[in-house]
Amino acid sequence: MIGLKTADVEKGSLELQQQFGITWIVVTLAEKGCYYRLAGHDGYVPGFQVEAIDTTGAGDAFLGCLLYKILKAGVSLNQLTKQQIIGMLTFANAGGALVTTRKGALQSMPTTDEITQIIETNKQHDDDRFRPGFHFSPHSHWLNDPNGLVYYEGVYHLFYQHHPYSNQWGPMHWGHAVSQDLVHWEHMPIALFPDEHGAIFSGCCVVDWNNSSGLFDGSHGMIALFTHADSCPETGQPRQRQSLAYSSDKGRTWHKYEGNPILDEHDLVDFRDPKVFWHSPSECWIMALVAGDHVRFYRSDNLREWSLSGQFGKSEGSHDGVWECPDLFELPIDDSGCSKWVLIISIGDNPNCPEGSRTQYFIGEFDGNTFINDNPADHILWLDYGRDNYAGVTWSDIAEQDGRRVIIGWMSNWKYANQTPTGAWRGAMTLPRILSLTSRDEGVVLTQMPVREIEQLRKGTLCWNEVKVTPAVPFTQKMNDVLLEIEADIDIRSGDEVHIKMKSSGQSETIIGYDPVRQWLFIDRSKSGLTDFHPSFGCKHGARMVPENGKIKLHIWLDRNAVEVYANEGLVALTDQIFPDAPMDRIEISAKTGEVVLNSFHMHALNSIHIPNGPTEQASRRVEV
Ligand code: FRU
């Protein structure tokens, strides 16, 4: 290797490469691993945590291992893919690390089996590096949309789109988890498996209290309504039809209805994600279903036979992507005694939109047959201005005395969901949030805040009041915990941009910022850690937010894999995944010019939730494909 005159490896290696035309430069960084630079790209490859007793021979072992791998690959350096390079350097890092665990040089050289073993063990650890501390994630493999959210007999059910054999999207099943407080979950056996009608796409659950389906022998039980996805045998075209399953034992075992599918529209290719509720004024069940570029409403007396009653949306709202996962419910507006209907529509990814998949909502009326928008057709309302809150729907059957409308979303984005660097599991949910309506100058809008039950995770709080922050004197604080809840009331005064930077012990930083000139709240995750798995991931994005009396109020939840930001009592929400290179260990608040004052700044360290496996027996009557 070559001695560098600068401590900045990125700059130094670039200069060396430009000056001498070196194809591949590697800088070893002891226990931190190494840095490499090739013609087209560069990067850090993390090292291995070992108990070093003698570092003699570590550099030689590193180089020996690397040369061994290069010779074994048998191609010229320019032809190596990034993945191959990272694989080789990981092998070399492991070889170098193992040598330090024994005394001496030559005799301490590990075998290739020993190297492979430490890499495998480390992978396991890596898989857990981004495992959320307090967001719901699957035990293993793939998760997307929340499904079948229902509260029944003291238990919140969370079903979800799940591929149990891969960490990529594939034949969909319904995974299942239960909770008594929306915070601590227990994994349950898979609820619905693909069958002769196809895979199990998104849908909902309701409690059939009065046995209107006739499936519960005079009692009550749970009904799941979902989309069966397969292809048409004659044409081979994708086909989506709606089906029903029922459970008489509180969601433990499920029976698919023999009359499936129960709703089919031959001419519609995209026809999915039923959401059903009981409409008291007309005493009937209503189903909202998306059909590509609009939502359809169907009515039923028995949850099995449905007739079309109305359609909405062909020329309303955003059509940047296919419409998915509808939800429709009524909410009071503040304490006014009045209420409005909220229609939630997720819209799929569009390669031309950097935002990827996201969720819009409409405010208006539901007359029992269809939805009527209060706003002009081109008035678009977004649920979340971050990049990772999709396919959110609300719990059904939460008791009237409780009265909350609670939503949970899939914390990812179809733009890169299949590539996030989490390992053997992939996908997590947002925090469950209460939705409310408030009346503002611009009209009636939704606000959202995590459910209060989340407060039980607080294990210790640090508080500051009236702290002045200037460009010369930022506020910095070491964080001893990686799971945090932060409440900040900030007087922006004469300040320019305020940055709340969350920094890792490595190179990563995630910035939550406010620009008072543009009145813009943003997250900048361009340097948040692993970002290069997709070109759209490393970005800065945000929302317009007007300060209230010169102040902004932020409530932030920081997890190992995500940050959720709520501003001004949930008027604006930003939810983003992040994958820091090392645990976050510092927070820094800075002002670009002038002065800002932290009127109050509270930092709560949070406990982690552990999600145990519930009973292991699988649901009966399943058909595997
Ligand atoms: C939304 C969605 C749904 C569909 C499901 C398939 O993310 O595309 O429309 O039912 O995912 O997994």
Side-chain angles (χ1 to χ4, degrees):
M1 310 283 136
I2 299 165
L4 296 172
K5 281 195 185 141
T6 164
D8 184 335
V9 289
E10 297 175 27
K11 210 166 126 228
S13 60
L14 184 64
E15 274 170 27
L16 281 173
Q17 189 170 62
Q18 286 167 346
Q19 208 173 332
F20 301 107
I22 304 168
T23 312
W24 187 4
I25 297 174
V26 178
V27 184
T28 53
L29 302 167
E31 73 282 359
K32 286 204 164 154
C34 64
Y35 171 81
Y36 73 93
R37 178 179 287 284
L38 255 110
H41 54 98
D42 67 333
Y44 292 84
V45 180
F48 292 78
Q49 297 289 328
V50 289
E51 227 163 273
I53 52 166
D54 178 8
T55 56
T56 316
D60 301 314
F62 176 92
L63 191 56
C65 287
L66 183 56
L67 291 174
Y68 164 76
K69 280 287 182 187
I70 292 173
L71 290 172
K72 233 178 144 223
V75 292
S76 87
L77 295 184
N78 284 324
Q79 287 172 309
L80 291 173
T81 63
K82 188 171 175 181
Q83 217 168 0
Q84 280 175 308
I85 289 162
I86 292 173
M88 288 175 172
L89 292 172
T90 304
F91 188 83
N93 280 342
L98 280 174
V99 164
T100 68
T101 61
R102 298 163 198 164
K103 277 207 174 301
L106 274 183
Q107 69 272 31
S108 64
M109 204 51 203
T111 63
T112 45
D113 277 354
E114 286 171 323
I115 298 182
T116 317
Q117 203 184 339
I118 188 176
I119 293 174
E120 280 310 311
T121 316
N122 226 53
K123 252 198 208 138
Q124 182 59 43
H125 166 78
D126 242 37
D127 272 2
D128 290 336
R129 186 149 70 111
F130 302 121
R131 175 68 84 175
F134 53 86
H135 286 90
F136 178 82
S137 61
H139 176 253
S140 61
H141 301 117
W142 170 268
L143 164 151
N144 62 291
D145 312 357
N147 295 150
L149 306 177
V150 66
Y151 180 74
Y152 183 46
E153 314 240 301
V155 173
Y156 293 95
H157 291 263
L158 164 60
F159 299 86
Y160 54 91
Q161 290 285 278
H162 183 41
H163 186 193
Y165 313 119
S166 163
N167 64 358
Q168 305 250 323
W169 189 85
M172 284 292 109
H173 299 53
W174 271 26
H176 186 197
V178 291
S179 169
Q180 288 182 3
D181 62 4
L182 289 165
V183 176
H184 297 94
W185 295 95
E186 191 181 330
H187 290 297
M188 299 296 282
I190 290 174
L192 297 175
F193 286 76
D195 58 27
E196 69 276 21
H197 299 302
I200 317 293
F201 273 18
S202 287
C204 63
C205 274
V206 289
V207 180
D208 184 8
W209 290 109
N210 298 319
N211 193 23
S212 52
S213 64
L215 295 166
F216 296 112
D217 205 10
S219 183
H220 47 79
M222 290 163 76
I223 298 261
L225 294 121
F226 57 89
T227 302
H228 255 131
D230 67 350
S231 46
C232 177
E234 292 90 49
T235 61
Q237 287 296 314
R239 179 169 67 172
Q240 299 180 347
R241 302 178 294 174
Q242 318 316 317
S243 286
L244 186 152
Y246 57 101
S247 168
S248 306
D249 59 0
K250 303 183 188 175
R252 272 177 188 271
T253 53
W254 288 87
H255 307 277
K256 305 249 179 66
Y257 176 56
E258 341 182 290
N260 282 342
I262 54 166
L263 178 56
D264 186 5
E265 300 271 13
H266 292 292
D267 52 334
L268 295 172
V269 181
D270 289 303
F271 183 53
R272 57 179 178 265
D273 309 340
K275 183 77 164 80
V276 172
F277 64 94
W278 175 252
H279 187 241
S280 315
S282 56
E283 301 223 310
C284 98
W285 296 98
I286 305 289
M287 179 192 284
L289 256 180
V290 279
D293 61 356
H294 66 283
V295 54
R296 294 182 160 214
F297 303 102
Y298 293 80
R299 294 167 67 84
S300 171
D301 291 330
N302 58 16
L303 290 159
R304 293 180 281 110
E305 294 148 315
W306 295 88
S307 55
L308 184 66
S309 66
Q311 308 189 13
F312 168 80
K314 274 206 166 111
S315 54
E316 315 238 2
S318 168
H319 286 272
D320 280 346
V322 63
W323 281 25
E324 299 186 315
C325 302
D327 198 355
L328 178 65
F329 46 86
E330 193 177 9
L331 279 182
I333 307 169
D334 301 310
D335 298 326
S336 65
C338 302
S339 63
K340 281 284 168 196
W341 285 79
V342 182
L343 173 65
I344 297 208
I345 300 285
S346 283
I347 55 173
D349 182 31
N350 171 343
N352 299 321
C353 296
E355 294 86 357
S357 51
R358 49 192 168 150
T359 303
Q360 65 178 328
Y361 67 92
F362 298 90
I363 302 286
E365 297 297 341
F366 179 68
D367 63 6
N369 292 314
T370 195
F371 179 81
I372 304 113
N373 192 1
D374 271 3
N375 290 306
D378 59 355
H379 184 75
I380 299 170
L381 295 163
W382 297 113
L383 186 68
D384 194 307
Y385 291 87
R387 292 281 157 93
D388 295 306
N389 182 359
Y390 192 63
V393 280
T394 64
W395 261 274
S396 159
D397 289 274
I398 289 188
E400 244 172 60
Q401 316 82 279
D402 180 326
R404 295 182 295 179
R405 183 52 67 169
V406 183
I407 190 168
I408 199 167
W410 170 40
M411 197 160 57
S412 197
N413 191 313
W414 279 121
K415 182 104 38 231
Y416 43 70
N418 277 288
Q419 281 114 50
T420 53
T422 50
W425 64 277
R426 192 176 269 140
M429 296 298 173
T430 64
L431 286 175
R433 307 165 181 193
I434 301 174
L435 293 178
S436 315
L437 285 180
T438 185
S439 184
R440 299 276 150 164
D441 294 344
E442 64 275 21
V444 175
V445 289
L446 271 180
T447 64
Q448 56 196 301
M449 280 309 272
V451 293
R452 61 175 182 278
E453 287 90 331
I454 200 84
E455 285 178 12
Q456 66 186 289
L457 296 181
R458 292 179 186 170
K459 62 175 182 186
T461 302
L462 293 173
C463 302
W464 292 265
N465 290 310
E466 304 309 321
V467 181
K468 275 191 192 151
V469 176
T470 62
V473 190
F475 168 86
T476 47
Q477 176 63 28
K478 207 172 152 30
M479 316 192 304
N480 296 321
D481 290 271
V482 290
L483 307 179
L484 288 180
E485 179 192 344
I486 294 169
E487 296 174 273
D489 285 3
I490 307 177
D491 185 334
I492 48 182
R493 302 257 172 116
S494 57
D496 191 349
E497 256 182 52
V498 195
H499 284 180
I500 302 181
K501 283 189 192 160
M502 271 135 0
K503 297 183 165 197
S504 77
S505 54
Q507 318 272 329
S508 314
E509 63 176 32
T510 299
I511 307 173
I512 297 161
Y514 185 70
D515 177 347
V517 179
R518 285 178 64 197
Q519 300 193 317
W520 199 58
L521 176 73
F522 62 89
I523 292 183
D524 184 351
R525 65 173 180 189
S526 52
K527 293 193 196 123
S528 59
L530 306 191
T531 57
D532 62 355
F533 55 88
H534 193 279
S536 308
F537 188 83
C539 56
K540 178 175 170 179
H541 47 265
R544 179 150 194 277
M545 193 191 80
V546 183
E548 287 176 3
N549 303 322
K551 290 180 189 174
I552 56 168
K553 208 176 160 98
L554 302 179
H555 207 144
I556 301 164
W557 274 264
L558 179 68
D559 205 332
R560 283 189 201 95
N561 63 332
V563 60
E564 297 196 12
V565 181
Y566 301 82
N568 289 356
E569 313 287 359
L571 213 46
V572 174
L574 290 138
T575 309
D576 269 3
Q577 293 184 93
I578 45 169
F579 304 104
D581 60 356
M584 300 283 199
D585 70 351
R586 266 163 308 149
I587 188 158
E588 184 185 299
I589 306 182
S590 58
K592 262 196 182 167
T593 57
E595 173 184 299
V596 300
V597 177
L598 306 179
N599 288 149
S600 77
F601 190 77
H602 293 190
M603 206 158 95
H604 310 280
L606 301 182
N607 282 314
S608 181
I609 54 164
H610 164 67
I611 309 182
N613 278 325
T616 50
E617 85 276 8
Q618 290 293 2
S620 60
R621 294 252 234 123
R622 70 183 198 228
V623 185
E624 304 246 15
V625 288

